[in-house]
């Protein structure tokens, strides 16, 4: 099979971690007989440096012409990078939000799994993590506060800013369906997270999610308020199978979920539209403080590439091979610095990529 993959290396550690994911994809292609055809795309700070804006229409068209896009991370240090002297709509993050919207990537899947081998890196007590946990955060990605009308202006002599949180029932229904569909392939439980005790948008969310739930009688649905969910994630993460939530809550809870797995450097993510197209990226940021040092953890990006093979290309066997290779390397005791613990062997970014390749095929 020929895979046309758009590649956004991005900023900070982006180019380093994407290089390892491409290495792993190439190895997988060799072993299973697939041709990887990459098109480099510019986005974020790297695009600002060349075009003055974080995402050009040409890049959007190139992304649309690909079967899937693999991405590193975008953005720089807000205190020191000249990108942050630009107005907000021209900064690196604006490119990310624009491509999500332009490609209609409304469903963001972030799996948070505690690997047995990484229990040492997990900040939770052993009695909480015993038996491990495996949850999927289904985050709505093209609505809510991120895309509502916003402004900053002077009102009665005071600087005043406002952001708006809007959802219509169709937006809620399509993400809820995705959440229930994936629950059917897992442990058949959906925890819908909202703030229905305060927000109208959450009350509509809850109503529509209940309507969708009626179409999935085999799936257990529970509602949870977002503040309680933040607490439950550290108190008893095992209880979760699929967490279904809106954009902003999903942003916050997915960082928290990643940390209880040991490191944000482990958390993959897929952003999907109605078709098979998806953008695959690690959930972590561009970590400009460690960029270029060769110490970043490439596993989240490598696992994102595995998700790409699974969701956009239906290559389950190949995706399994990558995921198993990651487990084996962890079992062997190799660690990047972020997941390092006593008695393990610390290795760098590209060595980690090599070790994972070594277990494929
Ligand atoms: C994420 C990131 C982005 C988001 C930022 C970089 C805009 O935190 O993908 O979680 O908030 O969605
Ligand atoms: Mg985030």
């Amino acid at each position: 099979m020929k895979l046309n993959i758009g590649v956004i290396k991005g900023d900070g550690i982006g180019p380093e971690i994407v290089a390892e994911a491409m290495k792993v994809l190439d190895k997988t292609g060799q072993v299973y007989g697939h041709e990887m055809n990459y098109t480099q795309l510019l986005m974020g700070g790297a695009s600002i440096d060349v075009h003055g804006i974080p995402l050009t229409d040409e890049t959007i068209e190139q992304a649309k012409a690909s079967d899937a896009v693999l991405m590193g991370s975008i953005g720089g240090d807000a205190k020191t990078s000249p990108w942050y002297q630009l107005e907000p709509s021209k900064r690196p993050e604006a490119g990310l939000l624009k491509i999500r919207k332009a490609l209609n990537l409304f469903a963001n899947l972030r799996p948070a799994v505690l690997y047995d081998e990484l229990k040492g890196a997990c900040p939770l007590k052993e009695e909480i993590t015993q038996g491990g946990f495996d949850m999927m955060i289904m985050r709505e990605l093209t609505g809510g506060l991120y895309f509502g009308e916003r402004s900053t202006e002077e009102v009665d002599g005071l600087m005043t800013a406002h952001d708006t949180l809007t959802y219509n029932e169709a937006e809620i229904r399509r993400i809820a369906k995705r959440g229930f569909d994936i629950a059917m392939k897992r442990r058949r439980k959906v925890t819908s997270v909202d703030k229905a005790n305060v927000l109208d948008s959450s009350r509509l969310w809850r109503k529509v999610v209940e309507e969708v739930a009626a179409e999935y009688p085999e799936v257990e649905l529970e509602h949870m308020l977002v503040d309680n969910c933040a607490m439950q994630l550290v108190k008893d993460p095992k209880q979760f199978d699929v967490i279904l939530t809106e954009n902003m809550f999903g942003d916050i809870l997915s960082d928290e979920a990643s940390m209880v797995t040991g490191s944000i450097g482990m958390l993959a993510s897929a952003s999907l539209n109605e078709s098979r197209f998806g953008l695959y990226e690690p959930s972590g940021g561009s970590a400009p403080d460690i960029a270029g040092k060769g110490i970043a953890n490439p596993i989240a990006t490598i696992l994102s590439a595995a998700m790409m093979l699974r969701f956009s290309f239906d290559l389950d066997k190949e995706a399994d091979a990558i995921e198993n290779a990651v487990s084996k390397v962890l079992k062997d005791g190799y660690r990047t610095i972020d997941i390092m613990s006593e008695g393990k062997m610390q290795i760098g970014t590209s060595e980690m990529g090599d070790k994972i390749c070594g277990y494929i095929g």
Side-chain angles (χ1 to χ4, degrees):
M1 175 174 191
K2 185 170 174 188
L3 287 67
N4 288 314
I5 304 168
V7 175
I8 300 171
K9 289 187 176 166
D11 311 316
I13 59 171
E16 297 163 63
I17 54 182
V18 167
E20 298 317 307
M22 288 170 69
K23 208 191 254 177
V24 171
L25 282 173
D26 287 339
K27 179 70 196 280
T28 310
Q30 276 163 28
V31 172
Y32 292 90
H34 303 297
E35 188 189 330
M36 305 289 164
N37 182 23
Y38 303 110
T39 308
Q40 299 293 335
L41 309 176
L42 280 184
M43 199 174 93
S47 171
I48 296 174
D49 289 345
V50 177
H51 301 293
I53 51 172
L55 179 67
T56 62
D57 291 341
E58 196 197 340
T59 301
I60 294 176
E61 290 315 312
Q62 286 175 312
K64 280 186 183 162
S66 317
D67 300 326
V69 174
L70 177 70
M71 194 184 117
S73 49
I74 52 114
D77 183 342
K79 279 203 201 96
T80 56
S81 164
W83 301 328
Y84 295 89
Q85 304 297 317
L86 300 166
E87 60 170 275
S89 68
K90 296 215 166 82
R91 292 179 195 164
E93 287 75 6
L96 181 59
L97 299 190
K98 191 172 165 194
I99 202 167
R100 286 174 179 170
K101 195 73 172 177
L103 302 178
N104 197 24
L105 305 171
F106 65 90
N108 182 216
L109 282 71
R110 298 187 163 180
V113 180
L114 181 66
Y115 284 83
D116 231 25
E117 300 79 22
L118 283 189
K119 280 194 179 136
C122 174
L124 301 178
K125 284 190 196 140
E126 222 189 306
E127 67 218 50
I128 296 176
T129 57
Q130 215 148 45
F133 55 80
D134 176 352
M135 67 185 99
M136 177 68 85
I137 298 184
M138 178 66 79
R139 169 189 177 195
E140 200 292 326
L141 203 61
T142 53
L145 270 173
Y146 278 62
F147 293 95
E149 189 194 307
R150 67 178 103 258
S151 71
T152 308
E153 68 216 319
E154 204 176 302
V155 177
D156 299 333
L158 297 173
M159 286 311 289
T160 306
H162 87 273
D163 297 280
T164 47
L165 200 180
T166 305
Y167 272 107
N168 66 41
E169 54 182 313
E171 290 171 309
I172 301 169
R173 191 162 288 116
R174 67 179 181 180
I175 188 72
K177 283 200 159 125
R178 282 295 177 91
F180 281 89
D181 283 341
I182 201 127
M184 285 296 289
K185 295 189 182 154
R186 296 172 48 97
R187 302 192 307 280
R188 301 190 175 184
K189 180 176 174 192
V190 169
T191 305
S192 174
V193 176
D194 61 37
K195 189 70 186 171
N197 53 348
V198 178
L199 303 175
D200 260 21
S201 55
S202 284
R203 285 186 275 267
L204 180 62
W205 180 277
R206 211 173 256 223
K207 179 171 170 285
V208 176
V209 168
E210 270 171 13
E211 286 166 14
V212 173
E215 297 163 28
Y216 296 82
E218 290 136 306
V219 179
E220 178 196 345
L221 167 68
E222 72 173 353
H223 299 286
M224 193 177 277
L225 295 173
V226 61
D227 47 351
N228 184 29
C229 183
M231 183 178 85
Q232 295 297 333
L233 273 172
V234 290
K235 192 173 165 224
D236 180 19
K238 272 195 286 297
Q239 68 182 289
F240 296 107
D241 179 18
V242 175
I243 292 182
L244 169 66
T245 193
E246 63 91 53
N247 204 345
M248 180 74 147
F249 298 158
D251 178 45
I252 298 166
L253 295 175
S254 60
D255 266 27
E256 187 187 2
S258 74
M259 198 56 227
V260 301
T261 69
S263 167
I264 194 156
M266 297 296 299
L267 200 71
S269 129
S271 306
L272 309 174
N273 65 15
E274 300 279 9
S275 69
R276 306 202 64 79
F277 182 88
L279 182 136
Y280 300 83
E281 53 170 322
S283 298
S286 60
D289 51 324
I290 59 163
K293 293 189 180 161
I295 59 170
N297 185 348
I299 293 179
T301 318
I302 291 168
L303 292 173
S304 301
M307 287 182 93
M308 176 177 82
L309 297 182
R310 199 184 293 289
F311 291 116
S312 286
F313 298 103
D314 256 334
L315 297 174
D316 283 322
K317 192 168 43 119
E318 291 79 346
D320 288 345
I322 296 176
E323 289 167 4
N324 291 336
V326 169
S327 290
K328 284 182 186 150
V329 170
L330 294 174
K331 207 162 269 160
D332 283 350
Y334 295 108
R335 303 282 188 271
T336 43
I337 189 167
D338 56 310
I339 49 174
M340 184 61 190
S341 59
E342 227 185 288
K344 305 297 175 193
M345 287 160 286
Q346 193 174 317
I347 58 175
T349 310
S350 94
E351 245 183 308
M352 183 55 96
D354 291 340
K355 296 269 180 223
I356 292 168
C357 284
Y359 272 119
I360 295 171

